[in-house]
Amino acid sequence: MSSSSHNGPVCLVRGSINIDEFYDVPQIVRPGQTISAISTSKRLGGKGANQAKAAACAGAVVLMDGAVGSGTEGREVIQELCAEVKGVKEPGVDVEALGSQGRILEERIRVWEQGSTGKAVIQRARDGENSIIILAGANFSQASEQYSPLIPPATTHLLLANEIPYESTLEYLNAASSSKDRKITSIYNPSPMPPAEQLKTFPWHQVDWLIVNEGELGDIAGSLFNDDSAIELEKDVKDAVENLTKAAAKDTVDDEAAIKVAKALHVSLPQLNNTDSKHTVNIICTLGAKGVLYTCSAAADQSEPRVKRLRAARLLRPIKDTTGAGDCFMGYLAAGLMRLQQEGKKEDDEAAFDEVIKRCLTVSIQCFSNSVSDHIADTLLDDAQACSICVENEGAQDSYGTIAQVEARLAANPIEEV
C-alpha cells in the first residue's frame, strides 16, 4: 500500500532512524578507564522512528520519511520498523484486540549508500545515570532533492523533531505551509534544542503545535524573551520567564510560571517572523510527574486562548524504563489529532481534545531522561502518579501500547483535571 492510495489522514514523519545499543554498567566509564558491562542489548530507536511507531500503535497510517544505511543492517531496520503493530503485555487488562489498525509505510525510507544507519551507544549505570554517544549516519543525508512534491498530496499531518539536518526541518515546514491541496497540521518538538540564534529566526508562523517539556519551554523563552527581544512583555511574564529558566536547571519549576510563559509564547512566537498573519502556536508542555499543561487558540465563541492542566496517568506497575516516552507522547498526539479530523471534530472542541491528551498521558510520560533510579521509582510509586504503559515496560518502541490497550486502561483509571 502507498500513501497515495489511502483515503484517510496520513501522518508524514520526517525524522531519524537509529539503532540503540545499550550497555548496562556499574557506573559511567571515566576518561582512560576500561570497565566490563553487566549486559547489553540492541533495539530500534531514533526520535522519528519512535514517533512513527507510536502513531501507528495509536491507529494512524504513517509515512516514515527517513534514511538507513546500506546492506543487511539497513534492510533489517526497515523490515522491523514497518512490521505489523503489536501491543505489550498488560497484566490485569482484558483487551481482545491487542493489535492496531495503524501501520508504517516504507516508500520514503531511503537507503544511504555512503554510510551506516544512525546509532546511539547508551551506557546505563545502576544509579540511574546514563551517557549517550550519537552517530548521525544516514539521518543527516538530505532528502529534499529526491522528492517532488516534498510533501505527498495525501499528507494531513507533519511530525518533526531535531535529529535531522536543520535545513531539512525548514524545507519540510515551508512545503507544508505552502500546500494548496489541503491544510497540513505541523507538529514540532525542538529536541535536541537548537542554539539561540536558530530559535530567533525559526519560522514559528509555520508551526501549529509546539511540544516541549519544562526545560525546553524555559530554553526557548530564555533565548527569545531577553533584553534584545523586539517583543515587549508584561512584568509578570518577564518574572515568569526568569523563574522558569532558573528553576528548570534545578528541577523545581513553578507551574504558574510555566503557564504564563506558555501563554506568552502562544501569541508571540509568530511575531518574531514579522508576519501579518494572526497565526498562533498551540503549545503543549509536559510536566513529568505532574502531568501536562496546554494553551491553544480560542474557540469561535471565546476571546481568550484556552489554558488547561491535566494530571498524569496513574502508575499501576513499577517504572522500568523511560526511554522514548516523549516520542511516544508525540506519536499519540499526532494520531489523536488525525482521529479528530476523521470524526469531523475541531481541535477547539475542549472535551474531544482533552480525550486526545488523556490517551497521550495514559500511554506515555516525559519525566526523566532514559532511565530511572530505584529511589525515583519508589517516590513516584508513593505519589501514585505519573506513569503509563510506556515507562512500565523496557525499551522505547517495544514498550508502546496500542490504542485498544490505552483506552482499556484509561476507562479503568480516569485522568483528573487540576
Side-chain angles (χ1 to χ4, degrees):
M1 176 183 175
S2 68
S3 60
S4 59
S5 64
H6 179 72
N7 295 324
V10 172
C11 180
L12 175 66
V13 178
R14 171 68 181 109
S16 59
I17 303 172
N18 283 342
I19 297 173
D20 294 343
E21 298 179 359
F22 295 89
Y23 293 86
D24 293 304
V25 293
Q27 70 279 330
I28 302 301
V29 66
R30 301 190 307 272
Q33 183 186 29
T34 299
I35 62 174
S36 296
I38 300 167
S39 63
T40 183
S41 60
K42 186 183 292 187
R43 298 189 181 99
L44 191 59
K47 296 187 73 65
N50 289 347
Q51 292 164 8
K53 182 66 77 171
C57 284
V61 173
V62 181
L63 180 59
M64 181 68 219
D65 190 329
V68 298
S70 60
T72 302
E73 183 181 73
R75 291 194 298 272
E76 289 176 347
V77 167
I78 295 174
Q79 184 177 8
E80 181 180 347
L81 181 60
C82 299
E84 180 183 356
V85 175
K86 297 181 180 178
V88 295
K89 294 181 179 179
E90 269 285 82
V93 179
D94 182 16
V95 181
E96 293 183 3
L98 295 182
S100 168
Q101 296 300 311
R103 53 197 173 279
I104 298 176
L105 308 177
E106 64 176 85
E107 62 192 82
R108 279 225 180 179
I109 301 180
R110 302 174 304 285
V111 176
W112 189 51
E113 300 291 348
Q114 285 73 42
S116 73
T117 300
K119 288 186 173 64
V121 178
I122 305 164
Q123 295 183 64
R124 297 189 298 194
R126 285 171 175 166
D127 62 1
E129 289 294 327
N130 65 81
S131 176
I132 305 174
I133 301 173
I134 297 290
L135 172 67
N139 294 320
F140 266 58
S141 60
Q142 291 286 356
S144 59
E145 60 194 28
Q146 298 187 28
Y147 302 124
S148 181
L150 189 59
I151 307 292
T155 303
T156 57
H157 293 73
L158 172 66
L159 205 51
L160 288 164
N162 284 345
E163 287 183 341
I164 57 174
Y166 180 68
E167 296 76 16
S168 186
T169 298
L170 299 184
E171 287 177 326
Y172 276 72
L173 276 175
N174 184 60
S177 66
S178 303
S179 173
K180 297 179 181 179
D181 295 326
R182 65 178 73 194
K183 161 63 180 167
I184 298 173
T185 299
S186 58
I187 307 166
Y188 176 55
N189 171 230
S191 177
M193 185 61 64
E197 288 307 311
Q198 286 185 358
L199 290 173
K200 291 176 183 178
T201 59
F202 193 81
W204 297 109
H205 63 292
Q206 295 176 344
V207 175
D208 295 305
W209 290 93
L210 174 65
I211 317 301
V212 291
N213 59 27
E214 295 161 303
E216 291 163 347
L217 185 69
D219 287 342
I220 293 173
S223 297
L224 302 182
F225 295 154
N226 51 40
D227 294 338
D228 298 329
S229 174
I231 299 174
E232 294 186 9
L233 299 176
E234 300 291 336
K235 184 180 184 305
D236 64 329
V237 179
K238 289 183 179 179
D239 292 342
V241 172
E242 183 177 3
N243 178 301
L244 189 62
T245 51
K246 289 182 178 179
K250 300 178 181 178
D251 198 26
T252 56
V253 173
D254 178 353
D255 294 347
E256 291 302 317
I259 290 172
K260 286 182 180 179
V261 172
K263 288 177 67 176
L265 288 172
H266 170 68
V267 175
S268 301
L269 280 176
Q271 296 177 18
L272 295 168
N273 305 121
N274 298 317
T275 62
D276 296 327
S277 170
K278 294 182 179 179
H279 181 78
T280 54
V281 179
N282 300 314
I283 297 174
I284 298 176
C285 180
T286 56
L287 304 172
K290 293 177 289 186
V292 68
L293 72 85
Y294 69 80
T295 175
C296 58
S297 301
D301 58 347
Q302 297 174 334
S303 58
E304 293 292 323
R306 187 168 80 250
V307 180
K308 199 163 186 177
R309 276 272 318 274
L310 291 171
R311 298 189 190 280
R314 193 172 185 83
L315 177 64
L316 300 185
R317 290 182 284 158
I319 297 175
K320 287 188 176 181
D321 191 353
T322 61
T323 305
D327 298 329
C328 184
F329 188 101
M330 286 277 290
Y332 254 78
L333 174 68
L337 295 178
M338 294 166 72
R339 179 181 289 192
L340 288 183
Q341 185 179 98
Q342 280 185 304
E343 295 174 349
K345 297 177 181 177
K346 294 184 177 180
E347 295 167 357
D348 61 12
D349 182 329
E350 183 173 346
F353 181 71
D354 282 358
E355 287 303 309
V356 171
I357 298 299
K358 288 176 181 179
R359 292 187 187 101
C360 294
L361 287 168
T362 298
V363 74
S364 162
I365 189 72
Q366 187 173 15
C367 49
F368 304 98
S369 61
N370 294 325
S371 61
V372 180
S373 68
D374 291 340
H375 169 72
I376 294 173
D378 289 343
T379 301
L380 289 175
L381 280 165
D382 290 340
D383 288 345
Q385 285 186 27
C387 271
S388 56
I389 293 170
C390 173
V391 299
E392 294 169 5
N393 293 276
E394 291 187 355
Q397 298 175 31
D398 295 337
S399 68
Y400 297 166
T402 64
I403 190 65
Q405 292 175 298
V406 169
E407 291 184 343
R409 180 179 283 209
L410 185 56
N413 300 275
I415 290 177
E416 301 174 1
E417 297 179 12
V418 177

